[in-house]
Amino acid sequence: MSFFPLGLVGLSLLTTPAHANEGAKPNGCPWAQDVTVEINGKTMTLNQAMFATPPGEPILMDPYKIYPLIEEMKLRIIGPKGREWEASLTRLVSGKRCSAFYVGKPFVVSDIERDAEMLILNR
């Protein structure tokens, strides 16, 4: 009877280590990567930690101010001359610690030049 060799083949397939986490980040979240946003030909790179800023506080990327409005799932970007852009956010969550945001393509909300310190959060 030749059942013994088939049993060993089946056993070796079961004990092969799984490689599901290949390329995963050390924090266990494979999609928590930096995202890029392009405004007026300037590419800005945002890391995932930037999305954890307190509400209402801007991220300064000279000469732009970026407001991650997590509760509204959008990113507000104020240019140096007061022009405003918005980009939609997509949040991916898995498990207790794996959370990441993707940023959609920004579009102009207001191209009126004004004081860059003015920000209309509620439209």
Side-chain angles (χ1 to χ4, degrees), residues 5 16 20 72 74 103 119:
T16 305
E72 298 175 41
K74 62 184 171 184
V103 179
L119 174 64

Side-chain angles (χ1 to χ4, degrees), residues 54-119:
E57 289 189 26
I59 299 164
L60 301 176
M61 296 190 97
D62 200 35
Y64 295 92
K65 291 182 181 179
I66 302 170
Y67 292 84
L69 304 172
I70 304 301
E71 67 281 350
E72 298 175 41
M73 293 303 289
K74 62 184 171 184
L75 197 65
R76 172 85 37 88
I77 302 161
I78 309 297
K81 295 181 180 178
R83 293 186 175 107
E84 296 180 49
W85 290 266
E86 283 185 2
S88 62
L89 294 177
T90 301
R91 185 175 187 181
L92 298 175
V93 179
S94 175
K96 294 179 183 177
R97 296 182 185 157
C98 191
S99 176
F101 288 92
Y102 285 127
V103 179
K105 185 176 180 178
F107 59 92
V108 175
V109 175
S110 172
D111 61 355
I112 299 170
E113 290 189 19
R114 64 175 145 233
D115 182 11
E117 296 301 315
M118 290 177 53
L119 174 64

Side-chain angles (χ1 to χ4, degrees), residues 1 5 13 17 33-34 37 39:
M1 296 205 170
L13 290 175
Q33 302 173 11
D34 296 343
V37 176
I39 302 279

